[in-house]
Structures are given as structure tokens and as C-alpha cells.
Amino acid sequence: MNSISFSSQREPLNMQHDCERPQKRQKSGVMMDIVAVMFDIGATHYERGDFRSAEECFSQALCRIDIDHLCSQAGTNKATQPTSQHFPKVTIAVFSQHRGSSTVCDPKGTSQKEKEIESSNSSIVYDEGMRVHNELLQMHGSASVEEVAAMLWYNVAQTFVQRGLYTRAIAFLRRALRKFNIMNNSESKSLSIVKNLHSLGYCHYRLGNDDQANNAYQRALAIVSDFDLGATLLAASANCIGVLIFNQPQPCDNTLAMDMFRKSFALFKSSDRPDVTAIATVLNNIGRVHYVRSEFQQAIKIYEECLKLRRDRLGNQSADVAATAYNLGQTCYQLGRLDDALSHYQEFLDIVISIAGPTTKDIALVHKGIGDIYRDKADYKMAVRYYQKALDIQRACSKGRQCADVAATLNKMGNMCYEMKEFGAAMKHYQDGLKIEKEILPANHPHITITITNIGHIHKQLGDFKMALAAYRKVHRMQQRALGDDSFVLAETLSSIGLMEYHLRNYEASFDSYQDALRIRRQHLGGDEHPEIASTLNSIGLVLFKQDIFELAKNCFAESLRIRCKLLGKDHRDVAILWYNIATIHFETGEDEIAIQMYKETLRVERHALGEDHPDVVLTLQHLGQVHQQLGHTEEAIEYFQEALGIERRRNQPAQRSLARVLNLLGNVYLQLGRAKEMMQCYVESSRIYESMDGIEALAISGYNFYGLSKTNPLCAAVA
């Protein structure tokens, strides 16, 4: 293989060729001089970040030494190639005018005019360690023509990589690799091949071709090992393979990914001149593995070490510092350290906004994260504020296209409005999100069913049980089509349907829905020892009670009580609900003394689980008072009503319906005893409160409307 010589010395010539060969050698020497100048100018443009001009220089140089491969199908041949007389001055302007175009011909000779989208400053690529080599290969005087051509193919590819034109880069990298492979073996050749394979792997990775990326990195790792090219290249290759393994769809082999990262970390640390930036990157990757394993304490320790290294090495305004700050914030959030999470998220925002402006998708993501923090703090107004910021950015980034992220944020905003009981606003957000989901998602997609379910919850809260029932039934049909009749997801929807039928007094239909829900839950849960089974049995008991099927209702309540006591303990709030319901059945069937004992047990559990001043305690005291009043135990009744009244007044809240009811009940006892003064005081205050409210209730003189079960289980349907 001949070397390129830039000297003016000539070999001895045969006299009969004296008039030909000197001219041919001179032509080749001048051409290679031009190639060298183009090479240097291209490198200068590359270093300045002018990648398009760099591409033009490298491409023009490449056309002069690899013409058969580049231009054979572009209407040119050797006889028509420009000679040195076409280039009186070596300038970019002259190069760009050559053949009327500055675009490069692809390996098949056709002009690359595909419209690929170049990277923009609207998004940031954070360092995972996948872009190992972004420097150019440098031309040297002893390089062969084939080696210079391979370098130029590689360098043109790098200009494409820098602009995000990965498909075009791959074509040039493959051609460079073929040329390097036919060269004589040397350490320089091996190193060039490794750089080429790393660049190929990176391009495939950016395009989502993980299998091809893995193949390239594995080949690079083998060459580095075989030719002993150093710990740093081994470490870089191992890290890249680890990232590919880690990013595989779940469930992936995180153990293997962690092994590769730890191997990479150890190799980087063992280097004579450790690359601190690379070490920090590998630490960040190790932290990510701990995070997905829910090993949050270990993740925090690793991220904090990484963040310190990155701040020291890269400064406080680096995108990679921002990335680790976000990862640390996300991990703190998982541990409930909300203020720490908020601080790290804010650091991310400060850095990324200064780099890329305020309207990138990453900033929208962090605004959503901050919204989640305020949601968990129950500061729903602040949560809505940040969700709105995220929504505005997402809409700006989507540029009029329907976007799943927009729909998800709308649903989050709907959830917050629901929590604030702003049901009109919640409904609008859900409906707007649903419109987008129907356009971009397949029919019967889970996100669509969740949104319709949330709309049903709003109708339920507004007391529009028919509309809620219609929404839940629609969800049920969609789930049946998508998942079949026996999917576990259907049980929750059937429970919601059963609850609406219960409120609409369609007790037989309600019973059927709850029975189907119970069947599905037993089928999937493998028995009765589960909170959801207990909840469904309680709901069935309520329906049976409304149908006056008391014995079966009591059996359902008793079985639910047994399960809850076993799973939750005897002093849990949900246990109190069952004692209350069983007590009410005993009272209804005339077993007054048993009812009183069970109401007292209800009261004991509620005080233990909820505290002395909880509304449920007030309600149970009322019912104990009513039972004693019914039995003629008026003094005991007054004691319970007075205790309930004291709690209501201590709660120091604006006039509530519950306060009016207690006053009403106490007034009725005073009426029964003929204590007119106390009676009138109670009736007047109760009546005033009723009149100041919505007018749904009014004073009930001597009314004993306390047979109905007004305490129910926490709703079976998920909260919006």
C-alpha cells in the first residue's frame, strides 16, 4: 500500500516515458495537497461548530480520492473530474460551487436530499456515556490514500452525527469501516475501527435500533480486549452495553446492566489518568439502576456523589448537573422527602431554562413533578398552577398536534379540581383530555376508560347517579371488549355500577353487580382473606339490608368483620364500620340490648382509630342516644346527645348540618320530657342553621328517622 508523499522529489524515470510520467506524478501530488488543505479547513470548521461547512470540505476532499465509489452514478467520471486548474484559490466558496452543490453523494452515488430533522435547541441530550468519540480523525503525512479516504468517510459521518442526521451518518460510517478493515493491521487501525464502531452504536441507539447498537458496541469491546487498547476504552464500551441493557423494555436484566456499570466504573478508576466526567456519568447510570429497583437510599447516595463530581468538573450550569439534580429529586420524592425533591427540581429548572429556554419538554416534565409534590402536600391550588405551566409548554411543543402528554396533564388537573370539589372545572379538564385520547389512542385503551371513570365519579359527587351509572356501564363494556369478562379490572367497575344502582334503589341490579365483582375478586385473589373481598361483602350486606333480608345481610357483615379483624386488627376504622352495620341490624330486629353493646364497641374503635372529635364519633353518639330514647332511657339519651353536641361545638367550624341534627335530636328528647325552655333553645338554633343552608333538610319534630344505614364502607370505586 503506497504512502502519500508531499515532497517534490521524483523517482528515476525511464527515458521513453519522460514526457508522460512526470506530469502524472505532479498532478497526483497537487491533488493530495488540495485534499490536505480541505481536510484542515474542514477540521477548523468542525472545531468552531460549523458542521455543515465542515461536511462540505470533507466531502469535496473525498470526491477527489474516492471518485469511483462516490460519483459513478452522479453523471461524472474520471475524464471529467476537475484538475488543479479549477482551484486557483483554496476557499470554501470555490468548494461549494464545485458541481453546483455542496451536498454529498451517498455510497450508491445518488444525492442525499432526504429531509431529516436536525437537532434543535428545544431539547437537550443528557450524557449517558453513549457518545464516546466525537472528535475527528486527523490526517498525517504517512497515511495511505485508502486510510485518508476512510478518515474522510468517518469525518463526514461525524458532521451528520453532530446535527442529528443519524441515518446518513450510519451510511458513511459503514463505508469507512469497510475501508479500515482492508488496511494492514496496526494499533492505529484498531483504534480507528473502535471509534467507528462506537459512532455506529451511538447512531443506532439514537434511532432506537438497540440490537444493532449492541452489536457495534460488543464488537468494539472485543477489539479493545484483543488488542489491549487500554482500560478507558474497555470502560467506555462496558458502560455503553450497560445502558442498552438497562433501557430494554421491562422487565429487563438490571443485574447484568449493574454488572456492566460497575465493571466500567472500576476500569475508569483504575486508569492512570481517571476521566472524572466519565466516572460521574457511570455513577449516574448506577443510580438509575438502584432507582428502578426501588433501592432509593442507595440511589440517593450514588446520585449525591455523582452530583458533587459533576458540579466540580462541569460547573453549576451544566445540563448533566441538571440531569443528576432531577434524578436526585425524583428519588427524594419516592422517599417522601418532598422539600428536598422540590429543591432539586428547582435546580434543574434554573439550569435548563438558562440553556434551552423555558419551553422544552423536559421543563414541562419537571413542572408536572413539582405539581405532584404540591398534590402530596394537599396544596391543590399550587399543584394546579404547576400542572398548568406544564400544560402550556406541552401545547407549545406539540404545535397543534394532539399529544398524549397533554391529555395526561389535563387528567392531573382534573384530579386536583376534583379534590377541591371544583367539579365543573374537573369535568372540563377530563372532557378535554378524553377528546385527545379518543383521537390518538386505540379504542378501549385503559387511559380512555380511566378518564370516563373519573367523569362518572364527578356525576356521582354531584348526585347525578343516572349519568354516573351510564359512564360506569360504558367503561364496563369497553373493558369487556378489551380484557374479557373475567379480568380483575372489571371488579372495580362492577362495584361502581353496584353503588349507583344502590343509590337509585335498584337493589336487585345492585346485588347482581356486587355478586359479579365478588366472583371475579375471589377468582383472582384465591380466597376471601383480602380487604377487597371484605369491602364487597359489606356492600352486598347493605343491599340485602335495604331489601329487608336481615339474616343474610348480617352474615355478610359478620364475614366482612372477621376478614378485617384478621387483616387490619380489632382497632381499625374499617372494623368500626362493620360493628356499626351489625348493630343497626340488631336494632332493626328488636335486639336492642345487643345493638347498644355493638354501638358501644363501634364507639370504642372509632375513638381509638379516629380520635375523640371525629365526625364518625358524633354519628355513633347520635345513634346511641336515639336507641336509648326509643327504649325510654331519656337521661342516657340526653348524655349521648350532649356529648355529640360538645364535639360539634369544639370543632369550631361554620354552622354544619350535623350540628343542626344533633340540636334537633336533643330538642326532641326535651320535648318528650316536657322541658320546654331547653327544647325551644335547641329547635331555634337548629332551625336557623337549616334555613341558612341549602334547604334540603328542615326541623323534624319528634322524628325518629334513624333506622337507615347512613355509614357505608369507603367507596369501592377508585377516587378520581
Side-chain angles (χ1 to χ4, degrees), residues 328-625:
L328 191 51
Q330 194 175 35
T331 312
C332 289
Y333 176 80
Q334 293 295 335
L335 290 171
R337 292 167 48 180
L338 301 183
D339 291 334
D340 290 338
L342 190 60
S343 175
H344 291 304
Y345 284 161
Q346 190 60 55
E347 180 180 4
F348 175 92
L349 289 177
D350 292 342
I351 295 171
V352 174
I353 289 174
S354 70
I355 295 172
T359 56
T360 72
K361 290 182 178 180
D362 294 337
I363 290 173
L365 176 67
V366 175
H367 280 316
K368 280 211 301 185
I370 294 175
D372 291 343
I373 290 173
Y374 282 113
R375 176 199 64 200
D376 292 354
K377 288 180 169 222
D379 190 344
Y380 302 129
K381 289 188 181 297
M382 284 294 289
V384 169
R385 176 183 172 186
Y386 277 93
Y387 290 148
Q388 185 65 57
K389 287 184 177 183
L391 183 65
D392 292 341
I393 295 171
Q394 289 166 341
R395 282 174 167 161
C397 291
S398 64
K399 298 179 181 179
R401 299 187 303 272
Q402 301 291 29
C403 175
D405 289 342
V406 171
T409 305
L410 284 166
N411 273 283
K412 283 181 175 287
M413 294 179 70
N415 294 345
M416 293 304 94
C417 291
Y418 182 96
E419 294 293 339
M420 293 187 290
K421 302 189 183 306
E422 296 175 1
F423 298 123
M427 180 70 79
K428 184 178 187 309
H429 292 314
Y430 288 144
Q431 289 175 337
D432 288 347
L434 182 62
K435 180 180 178 182
I436 295 172
E437 289 169 346
K438 284 182 175 180
E439 288 189 28
I440 65 176
L441 297 176
N444 308 318
H445 191 279
H447 290 180
I448 296 176
T449 60
I450 289 171
T451 305
I452 297 174
T453 298
N454 288 342
I455 289 172
H457 291 340
I458 292 178
H459 288 303
K460 176 183 66 181
Q461 291 294 330
L462 294 173
D464 193 345
F465 301 130
K466 288 185 179 180
M467 289 294 292
L469 180 60
Y472 295 144
R473 282 178 172 167
K474 183 175 183 179
V475 170
H476 183 247
R477 290 192 297 271
M478 294 170 69
Q479 290 172 334
Q480 281 182 311
R481 287 194 292 266
L483 305 171
D485 292 336
D486 297 327
S487 171
F488 189 69
V489 175
L490 269 71
E492 185 175 319
T493 306
L494 284 164
S495 291
S496 295
I497 291 172
L499 183 61
M500 293 306 97
E501 297 282 16
Y502 175 87
H503 285 306
L504 291 168
R505 302 183 181 182
N506 300 327
Y507 298 125
E508 290 185 4
S510 176
F511 180 82
D512 290 341
S513 295
Y514 280 128
Q515 281 283 78
D516 283 344
L518 182 64
R519 173 186 60 79
I520 292 171
R521 283 173 171 148
R522 279 176 166 161
Q523 176 182 326
H524 285 272
L525 297 173
D528 284 359
E529 310 298 314
H530 193 278
E532 291 192 29
I533 298 293
S535 175
T536 310
L537 285 168
N538 180 62
S539 298
I540 292 172
L542 291 170
V543 175
L544 292 170
F545 177 87
K546 287 295 185 179
Q547 295 176 290
D548 296 334
I549 309 175
F550 299 128
E551 195 61 31
L552 284 178
K554 187 165 63 175
N555 290 342
C556 287
F557 292 144
E559 178 63 8
S560 180
L561 178 64
R562 181 192 69 79
I563 296 170
R564 285 181 173 172
C565 284
K566 181 176 180 179
L567 297 177
L568 306 174
K570 294 183 178 181
D571 295 330
H572 194 277
R573 175 186 184 178
D574 291 349
V575 169
I577 290 171
L578 272 305
W579 281 119
Y580 178 91
N581 289 346
I582 294 171
T584 304
I585 287 181
H586 282 292
F587 181 74
E588 181 67 19
T589 55
E591 300 169 292
D592 300 333
E593 296 300 329
I594 297 176
I596 287 174
Q597 293 305 312
M598 290 189 172
Y599 279 134
K600 286 182 177 180
E601 178 62 13
T602 302
L603 188 62
R604 182 195 69 79
V605 177
E606 287 174 341
R607 282 174 166 159
H608 182 275
L610 304 173
E612 292 288 340
D613 294 346
H614 193 274
D616 282 3
V617 171
V618 173
L619 192 58
T620 303
L621 288 168
Q622 288 179 39
H623 280 73
L624 274 166

Side-chain angles (χ1 to χ4, degrees), residues 1-6 32 35-36 39-40 136-149 151-152 155 180 183 186-189 192:
M1 193 173 292
N2 296 326
S3 296
I4 299 172
S5 175
F6 297 104
M32 292 311 302
V35 168
F39 204 113
D40 290 342
L136 299 173
L137 295 179
Q138 298 299 321
M139 183 175 172
H140 52 88
S142 62
S144 66
V145 174
E146 290 83 357
E147 187 176 1
V148 173
M151 291 177 179
L152 286 167
N155 288 352
F180 282 126
M183 292 164 51
S186 67
E187 182 176 327
S188 175
K189 168 192 169 178
S192 295

